[in-house]
Amino acid sequence: MARRLREALAGSLAGLISILCVCICLALGVRALVSWATEEALIRYAERSALGWAEYLQTEMPDLDELLQGRAPDAQQRVVMYFASAIGDARRFQLYDVAGRLSLSTDADGISMSSGTPALSADRPQDWKRALMGEASVRIQRLMEAPAEEGAVNVSGDPPPVYADVVLPLRDVDGRFKGAAQVTLDMSHTWQAIGSILLRAGAALAGLSALAFLAPALGWQVFRRRAKEAERAMHERAHLDDTTGLANRRGFIDAAAAALAAAPEGADDIVVLVFDVDRFKAFNEQNGRSEGDALLRSVAAALRAVLRAGDPGARIGADEFAAILRTPPEERVETIVARVRERLYSPIWSPAAQMPTLSLGACPLKLADGDVEAALALAEIALYEAKAAQDGGLRVFEPAMAARVERRRHVELAIRDGMKEKRFSLSYQPLVDRRSGATVGFEALMRLNDAEGAPISPAEFIPVAEEIGVIVELGDWAIRTAAAAAVHWPAPLHVSVNLSVRQFDDERLAETVEQVLAEAGLPPARFELEVTESLLIANPDHVERQLAALKKLGVSIAMDDFGTGYSSLAYLWRFGFDRLKLDRSFVQAMSVDPGRARDVIAAIVALGHRLGMSVTAEGIETEAEAEALTELGCDILQGYRYGAPLSDWQLREVLAWGKDADDERMVLPPPDRAAG
């Protein structure tokens, strides 16, 4: 605040000094203009006065040419010359003959003849030349800086303070040049009068000009100050996070680069740390945005308490934070970051929910060659690794992580290109009744190959599709494609399609499913939708309404991957699923701890049956697993033991073969694992 005040004062002072300098220059300019104008006015006035004097002299002294030739004036001529020397401002005059020699001179001391005096043409050749051409020549002389005070009279023969020497031609009645006269005019009072008038006018002009300049100048200063304030505010908004008051991503990079540039010790002991709040979106949805913002502010306050003075910290994402850490050479980054994490946890508190955990990623600056932005990107790669582990821990960047990120980019590119070039497809894996051994339906499984034809696992591309926001479009495509394929299967075979969490954001999901089934001509009873527990956690009330609308259509709803995540019994009771699918990890556990695995599976099957749901076991690969799960009461069996996922055309061939063989059970042949 003090720095901003100093900057504002300095800017205002500089502006005022600039305005003052301009006003002074304006005043000096006006003064020079007034001086020039005054002198020009005196010249014109002196010229008119001298011409009037010459007209009087030539009118009253028709024999003036005799005086020009050096004859002494008589008494009458002396009287005329006396009055001529007193007309107006005239103080003295001199007559010169046609050759420019002084013939007669008169002043306050009287009249004197000056025959033989050096010629005017020698003293002032330019004035004489102009007189020969019939033009007057005026010279203003000042003996002091300012005119005499008003009312002062010069009574001696000395020149007045301001006077004009006017050289003008004298001509006879025929217009012939017969000599010249040099008249000295007292301009003191005229100078004072004209100068006073022009000075007042100039002062008024200067004042008006100053005001005319000052108002826009002051306005410009105000505008400039406000523009700077607005620019500063825009800069802060562009570099600061409104919620926490920390720097944003752009501000962090700039501040970190500036801080590191000023650091003398180099980058060997500097680490870029990033971390985020685990499951922050769920926290926000469950507790409201105000509680979410309060949590973010608590994290920001803790981060400020941890950082040393001058080390930047920032909020660079919705729930992602970053900081610069300076680690002493004797300490590993893991030690420093672990201590930071402990200090961050202690101040975080929210009265509405359980304490969230943090996932952290870090990158020593030297691994990024001192580039803060590059180090931040590498630290975020480490953060993604920490979040994937879901252990609320720390990961320090390693080069191997970059390969995994490159793989993710490859998958993302394959998804986007696959959508444009129609490289997505559905494969169908059979669902077999444990009692009859007959195939009762198929689960539609999404498949994707990259540009080179290499398959990409759904475990890879489904999470990426959710992150980049295309899973809804893919999910809608899967519903339409599966319904269009199932309508060609023999009744009562049904198709089961997985729904993404994002698809439930669409309020018209039930209407879309109804429209798809109607367009395909598939009865709702032959269509099943599978959902996961993560969907139920996000917004249970909204999901309950959506599921109720879907069940009202007549489609079946299955809970997929039961046994992972929270596996809340309340979800089974509240949402009334038609089918419960055991996660394949239970089947795999039978080969590790058969007794315990069987007990857990038996309990889940009993619970499902008690709540009116059929139970499906997936991931069955051996006959022993199939027999054990049949014995434990699983209703539907699925896995490579009963068939690999088949493309639509492969499945149609198998179904046609089964129909031709009149095989009511339609048991599919054992799969070729390499082909799956």
Side-chain angles (χ1 to χ4, degrees):
M1 186 66 183
R3 180 178 61 83
R4 291 183 183 176
L5 182 59
R6 288 195 300 271
E7 290 178 355
L9 290 175
S12 299
L13 183 59
L16 290 175
I17 292 175
S18 299
I19 293 174
L20 181 60
C21 290
V22 171
C23 290
I24 291 174
C25 292
L26 181 63
L28 292 175
V30 169
R31 181 179 178 183
L33 178 63
V34 168
S35 178
W36 173 83
T38 302
E39 188 154 341
E40 287 294 313
L42 283 177
I43 290 173
R44 301 296 174 264
Y45 177 77
E47 186 175 341
R48 288 194 299 272
S49 297
L51 290 174
W53 176 89
E55 183 179 354
Y56 165 79
L57 187 63
Q58 291 185 98
T59 302
E60 296 298 325
M61 297 181 67
D63 52 355
L64 183 61
D65 53 345
E66 296 178 358
L67 296 178
L68 293 174
Q69 295 174 4
R71 184 178 62 82
D74 56 22
Q76 184 179 358
Q77 289 175 330
R78 286 180 179 273
V79 171
V80 172
M81 286 188 288
Y82 172 78
F83 283 108
S85 62
I87 291 177
D89 296 322
R91 299 296 301 273
R92 184 183 67 173
F93 70 87
Q94 295 172 310
L95 299 179
Y96 295 87
D97 61 14
V98 104
R101 293 185 296 270
L102 180 62
S103 301
L104 181 145
S105 175
T106 178
D107 54 25
D109 296 330
I111 301 172
S112 61
M113 305 301 295
S114 303
S115 180
T117 303
L120 175 63
S121 58
D123 296 337
R124 297 167 63 176
Q126 195 67 27
D127 292 345
W128 180 253
K129 182 178 180 181
R130 294 188 64 179
L132 287 173
M133 296 175 63
E135 298 179 4
S137 176
V138 182
R139 290 193 180 187
I140 303 296
Q141 304 291 333
R142 282 178 288 174
L143 302 182
M144 58 181 62
E145 285 298 321
E149 295 182 1
E150 188 172 358
V153 179
N154 190 310
V155 297
S156 69
D158 296 331
V162 180
Y163 64 93
D165 271 337
V166 185
V167 176
L168 66 160
L170 298 176
R171 297 184 180 276
D172 58 18
V173 293
D174 296 326
R176 291 189 299 270
F177 180 76
K178 59 182 180 180
Q182 179 178 341
V183 184
T184 299
L185 303 174
D186 186 353
M187 296 282 105
S188 301
H189 296 304
T190 306
W191 171 275
Q192 188 178 42
I194 295 177
S196 178
I197 293 171
L198 291 179
L199 190 59
R200 291 191 186 97
L205 176 63
L208 292 175
S209 301
L211 288 176
F213 169 79
L214 189 60
L218 290 176
W220 177 78
Q221 280 291 99
V222 172
F223 171 78
R224 186 165 175 262
R225 184 173 66 252
R226 290 182 179 176
K228 285 187 175 181
E229 291 174 356
E231 183 180 356
R232 184 183 297 110
M234 289 178 62
H235 182 272
E236 289 181 352
R237 283 196 295 269
H239 290 75
L240 290 181
D241 172 58
D242 293 335
T243 302
T244 63
L246 293 173
N248 58 18
R249 189 183 196 92
R250 179 180 174 185
F252 173 74
I253 292 174
D254 291 347
L260 295 176
E265 64 269 21
D268 288 345
D269 59 346
I270 296 175
V271 173
V272 177
L273 172 70
V274 294
F275 62 90
D276 70 2
V277 182
D278 296 328
R279 294 179 293 277
F280 176 74
K281 183 178 181 181
F283 179 93
N284 226 10
E285 292 174 345
Q286 292 172 2
N287 303 287
R289 183 171 179 176
S290 60
E291 283 296 326
D293 289 347
L295 175 60
L296 293 175
R297 285 191 288 270
S298 297
V299 175
L303 181 60
R304 289 191 186 95
V306 169
L307 295 177
R308 301 190 320 174
D311 286 347
R315 179 190 176 200
I316 60 174
D319 61 335
E320 190 173 335
F321 295 81
I324 292 290
L325 298 179
R326 300 174 187 271
T327 61
E330 65 275 7
E331 292 193 87
R332 292 176 56 83
V333 62
E334 292 88 345
T335 306
I336 297 294
V337 173
R339 190 158 62 244
V340 170
R341 183 173 54 185
E342 292 174 3
R343 294 188 63 181
L344 284 172
Y345 277 134
S346 57
I348 301 176
W349 172 81
S350 175
Q354 183 181 3
M355 179 84 69
T357 58
L358 303 178
S359 294
L360 303 99
C363 176
L365 194 60
K366 60 185 178 182
L367 288 183
D369 297 327
D371 187 335
V372 175
E373 192 166 2
L376 180 61
L378 297 180
E380 287 180 311
I381 291 174
L383 173 63
Y384 296 150
E385 293 275 331
K387 290 184 71 67
Q390 297 183 352
D391 58 2
L394 162 73
R395 297 294 185 277
V396 180
F397 176 78
E398 298 175 355
M401 295 179 181
R404 289 190 285 271
V405 171
E406 185 61 31
R407 173 61 183 176
R408 185 199 177 281
R409 291 174 181 165
H410 174 76
V411 172
E412 180 178 343
L413 180 62
I415 292 172
R416 297 190 185 279
D417 289 346
M419 294 178 68
K420 294 177 183 178
E421 301 174 11
K422 302 184 185 305
R423 287 205 295 263
F424 280 93
S425 63
L426 291 182
S427 293
Y428 302 91
Q429 189 171 37
L431 304 169
V432 177
D433 183 89
R434 68 161 173 105
R435 297 179 183 87
S436 65
T439 300
V440 296
F442 296 89
E443 179 181 0
L445 303 172
M446 197 175 294
R447 295 291 184 258
L448 171 65
N449 292 338
D450 61 18
E452 286 73 31
I456 300 176
S457 168
E460 272 193 297
F461 72 76
I462 292 296
V464 176
E466 290 179 340
E467 288 180 22
I468 64 178
V470 300
I471 192 63
V472 174
E473 185 177 350
L474 288 175
D476 290 346
W477 169 83
I479 291 175
R480 295 180 184 277
T481 304
V487 75
H488 299 290
W489 303 343
L493 291 178
H494 73 273
V495 65
S496 183
V497 181
N498 289 277
L499 280 182
S500 166
V501 175
R502 301 298 181 194
Q503 289 177 271
F504 277 81
D505 293 335
D506 182 7
E507 293 288 347
R508 301 182 66 255
L509 176 61
E511 296 178 22
T512 301
V513 172
E514 183 180 19
Q515 180 183 357
V516 168
L517 295 178
E519 291 176 354
L522 183 70
R526 294 178 57 192
F527 195 75
E528 182 179 65
L529 296 172
E530 297 185 10
V531 300
T532 60
E533 290 175 298
S534 60
L535 169 67
L536 311 177
I537 296 171
N539 193 341
D541 294 332
H542 173 70
V543 171
E544 185 176 20
R545 291 194 301 271
Q546 296 270 52
L547 292 179
L550 289 169
K551 293 192 70 174
K552 189 176 180 179
L553 297 178
V555 302
S556 298
I557 306 296
M559 174 182 272
D560 194 15
D561 299 332
F562 184 81
T564 60
Y566 292 98
S567 300
S568 172
L569 300 181
Y571 295 148
L572 299 181
W573 173 81
R574 177 176 179 179
F575 294 101
F577 296 101
D578 299 294
R579 188 158 62 94
L580 185 67
K581 292 189 69 174
L582 279 172
D583 186 71
R584 68 183 60 206
S585 61
F586 291 105
V587 177
Q588 295 170 350
M590 293 180 66
S591 61
V592 179
D593 190 347
R596 189 172 184 179
R598 290 174 64 92
D599 291 341
V600 173
I601 294 173
I604 294 175
V605 171
L607 175 63
H609 289 167
R610 191 66 178 263
L611 293 176
M613 294 181 287
S614 63
V615 179
T616 297
E618 59 181 344
I620 302 172
E621 297 191 359
T622 65
E623 183 64 29
E625 292 173 346
E627 292 178 356
L629 292 166
T630 299
E631 181 182 341
L632 290 171
C634 291
D635 302 290
I636 305 296
L637 306 178
Q638 179 183 359
Y640 278 91
R641 166 65 183 80
Y642 299 100
L646 301 175
S647 66
D648 183 35
W649 68 268
Q650 289 174 324
L651 180 56
R652 289 193 187 193
E653 288 188 356
V654 171
L655 293 176
W657 170 80
K659 182 178 181 181
D660 292 341
D662 197 25
D663 186 354
E664 296 182 355
R665 294 176 57 194
M666 291 187 296
V667 178
L668 299 181
D672 179 2
R673 291 299 300 275

